[in-house]
Amino acid sequence: MDRYIGKPLRRFEDERLLRGHGCYLDDIRLPGMLYAAVLRSIHAHARIRSIDVAAASRSPGIAAVLTAQDILNAVKDIPAIRREGMEELRIPEHPVLAREKVFYVGQPVAVVVAQDRYAARDAVDLLEVEYESLPPLLDPLLAAKADTPPIHEIAGTNVAMRLRAGKGNVEEAFVQADRVFRARYEVPRLSAVPLETRGVVAQYQPEEDVLTLWTSTQVPHRVKRYLAELLVRQPKKIRVIAPDVGGGFGRKIEVWPEELALSYLAMLLGRPIKWTEDRMENFITTHGRGYVGDVEAAVKNDGTILAMRFRIVADLGAYLLTSTGGPLGNAVHRVAGPYAIPIMDVECLGVLTNKPPTGPYRGAGGPEAALLTERMVDLIARELRMDPVELRRKNLIRKDAFPYTTATDLTYDSGDFLPALDRALELAEYGKWRQVQKTRGPLEPLIGVGVATVVKASGGTGQTRTAVAKVTIEPSGQTKIYTEVSPHGQGSVTTFAQIAADVLGVSPEAVQVLHGDTDLLPTGQGTTSSRGLTVGGSAVYVALQEARKGVTQLASQLLGFPPEDVVLQDGQAFNRRNPEQGLSLAEIVSGATRLGMLPEGTGPGLEFNARYTLPANPYGFAAHMAVVEVDRETGNAKLLKYVAVQDIGPVINPMIVEGQIHGGIVQGIGQALSEAMIYDPMGQPLTGTLMDYAVPFAEDVPSLIVDRRETPSPTTPMGVKGIGELPTVASPSAVANAVSDALATLGVGDIDIPLSPEKVWRALQEVPVRASRSRVSAPNSRQGTPARPRRTR
Amino acid sequence: MIPVAFQYHAPTTLDEAIAILRRYLGEAKCLAGGQSLIPMMKLRLVAPSHLVDLRRIQDLAHVHEHDGGLAIGSMMTYYQVQTSPLVRQRLPVLVEATNLIADVQVRNTGTIGGAVAHADPAADVPALLLACEAQVYTVGGAKDRRIAADRLFRDAFTTALTPAEIITEIRIPALPPLTGGSYQKFAHKASHFAIVGVAALVTLDDRGVCQRVRIGVTGAGYKPTRARAAERYLEEKAPSKGNIEAAAKRALRGVEFLDDHRGSAEYREHLTHVLVARALAEAAARASGTS
């Protein structure tokens, strides 16, 4: 019975966090704790001639200064996970501390440990590194060229990954098409900007030879596996704990040099050590996105897309961290989007540059791929003088086509796209805004309406599709859930308790959800890939079903009526035919213990374990619409309206889902309008502070109109689909398309994100004089002459 | 984000503050709210060895009428300025401008004198002080003096103040009747500092002709600057759309515009013209009572 599933319960996590009673990494204080600070490269590319640690070592309160030389045989380099498309490459591994050369501004060179963080920071300034500056390689397109000297000699090339996907005769399709369109779009590097930066506390207990690492991570078990491998320690002698984590967005799923350096130092010094990343370090040490894509489409005059071709270059940065290759491996398939495009040809190159390593950032290849596809779809509509919504309607996958396998070899489990799109149109008052757009006078701000229709998988690939879970019922009757996902804003504590409440007939407040500690469960993949509910939650659900079965069985045996008559409700198991006959969970546990009914070796309570593998990823669909107003004089684009309709599975907690959607939309608005990591020609980051890097403010975001439709997934036991990343896939494209739509009313072609006021203003300077008077991008407009795509390969 | 070690002083009198500044001449800086100085220290862009906090000094946070104009104490926070009934009545445009400064937290702590002494080339208040032809009163220099706003700002983060000089008060002369004001700001999306900010005051005569025009521009160049050519052009003319456009085109001719990732020189020049026109139009409309 769904008493709690589907209810907008307030998050159990929030009261503690909002009152300031959370325990984030920097809140951890251990007796005798020392503090670390990191010296980072100031060059994008340089040879290290020498490092003089003498002055720093003499500085007051200094406990240790660590450079690469000190850990040569003690700590291994951080390996990249081998992926498809990386077979032939000798991949440079990320050294914990730089050896002969540095390859990006921000690369760790030395670590100082001191009595307090002030002394540590001061000593960093006393370290003297003599560099010989080398020319940096910054442009990914240049890096993709065969004759560009490799930044890492060992690799022999700057092309670290080469991936292909697609099927069908693409050449023939392009020959047979009525129209062919080409464009190049960029997706700049972005910072994930988690409210809490990274941080580590390492503690070593020599008496037990145990290393404990608290780290602000999404993946405690993964960090543990790598610590064991790279420090050459037995896994059982390592414990990793994720305390409260203030946002990750994919950039906390790596193992980091600082985690390894602090572990080593804690063992060396025998004292706990803390390092807390500052905001500037967070901005310069890792990014998401960083794509350039050449997109071509072969189209019939009626708007049917026959084939698409993509040539994508991803700027991976100077090294491949453990998940750097992941997004590209996703993007190569995800460019197919929600459309029935029979023929696809996709090639992705991942290239090395003198910038920090990239990796998954909320959407992980999805927003990148969607932006390329969705902007092209809008371009096709403009050029064919079709309404972009109608063009989508023509090409979206039909409800009866599921399971649908794309030409890029993704299989979509289920969906019903058109009603979701229709609902978005209705909520956005699409027709009305098209009318407003048409009637705008020459001195009034321009109006643009943008649409994006996207899909996003949840669950991941390989091992991330498997999760373990444990449910216990203590002698007190208390239900505990042990989960291997590591929530940091997803609300899993509340959601899982709601599921438990319905399955076991208890109150959700009475359920304790434990996570974020490698000592709780033997394995885990953490919270990544929108897997929290679909994989982690499914494992919990399976364990809860076992618990339900077990409790029912015991109640039936203890009370002597058939199991099918057992009802679990209000923390009791009772006889449906005789409700007077019942036992509390505590009575069941004690009864079973007393009568020796528990399996050998268990107890004192009941314990149920599950291991769950998601057979195939569920896919959610989103139709987003944005209305913008563009100031013709300043180029400023202001959002007037935003509508997001999701076609997802059943929802456990609609309030949490809505919160996820709000956050995802706003992150995407930032990507579309204002966010980008900018580097100067020497590879120096220019956007390393929140005074330079523009995340959206509340005033930049209109009231968000969110709705959903339900199409259960056949692949998960509860029919659920993940929601964490889906909105972030849609919103950058919806907003970019809206601004493009506004500019198109003056005949201005696509410009690249972020659509900052200055960029829009520059584009407006190029308005063709005739077009500015005659061309209106109204649906089915017959006026004007088609403009050529501004960028061609 | 950890500053270099410094010594903190909290004097209760101006004489005491001046004595500390003189004792550590060139190594000490005044702390007047700290909303710019402290972040710069945390980034280690500046590293004063001594900070002299002016908050405990009596009488630096006041506002009163003086010769029909305003006398504003240097340690008035933006919030105090915004909520002062006297300022609201006499110079509402100053309230509008301070409203656009950063966020509530900054406005609760940052001070008007701090903004002037810090001389960030993109700060809002200096543009308005230029347009108002404000006088800045100081102590602690060779002698107590007053400095006209347009002689105070020398370059980015550089003023005419000497190292031990402390701003005590800012005086804004009375505005003539039939005067309207406007502050137009185009803010950077991250910092919310002005890429360009324009303050304009327009005084009309009884025929509706511009008698007196004052324009201060911030953000555009290395220091806040009066747009004198634009002022002169519009004076003795009707504030028609055409005249305002023509005046705006003359704003900051010959000025070296800032050119960085927050805004190119070309864009800042363009924004200056756009915002001068908008500020003049609004100020003129307010002067004539049509807005």
Side-chain angles (χ1 to χ4, degrees), chain A residues 122 125 633-634 636 692 758, chain B residues 44 189 262 264 267 270:
Chain A
D122 286 344
D125 283 353
E633 286 186 312
T634 62
N636 190 50
D692 301 282
E758 176 163 1
Chain B
R44 300 201 168 200
K189 302 270 181 192
R262 293 174 179 171
S264 69
Y267 186 53
H270 166 76

Side-chain angles (χ1 to χ4, degrees), chain B residues 183-229:
Chain B
Y183 184 68
Q184 298 288 325
K185 175 178 182 175
F186 195 79
H188 184 255
K189 302 270 181 192
S191 69
H192 283 211
F193 269 97
I195 296 178
V196 175
V198 174
L201 293 175
V202 173
T203 306
L204 300 177
D205 64 15
D206 45 20
R207 300 163 301 156
V209 170
C210 299
Q211 202 176 46
R212 182 175 174 276
V213 178
R214 295 292 179 267
I215 303 167
V217 183
T218 188
Y222 289 83
K223 59 173 186 174
T225 310
R226 279 270 293 273
R228 288 181 199 272

Side-chain angles (χ1 to χ4, degrees), chain A residues 402-455:
Chain A
F402 293 98
Y404 178 90
T405 300
T406 68
T408 55
D409 205 25
L410 293 176
T411 298
Y412 301 157
D413 58 318
S414 62
D416 191 3
F417 298 170
L418 289 172
L421 177 60
D422 286 335
R423 180 70 179 138
L425 289 174
E426 182 190 332
L427 289 170
E429 301 173 291
Y430 183 68
K432 183 196 106 179
W433 284 107
R434 284 290 179 212
Q435 212 50 45
V436 173
Q437 179 180 45
K438 259 197 276 191
T439 53
R440 276 281 146 134
L443 296 177
E444 290 177 294
L446 304 170
I447 292 287
V449 187
V451 190
T453 44
V454 306
V455 291

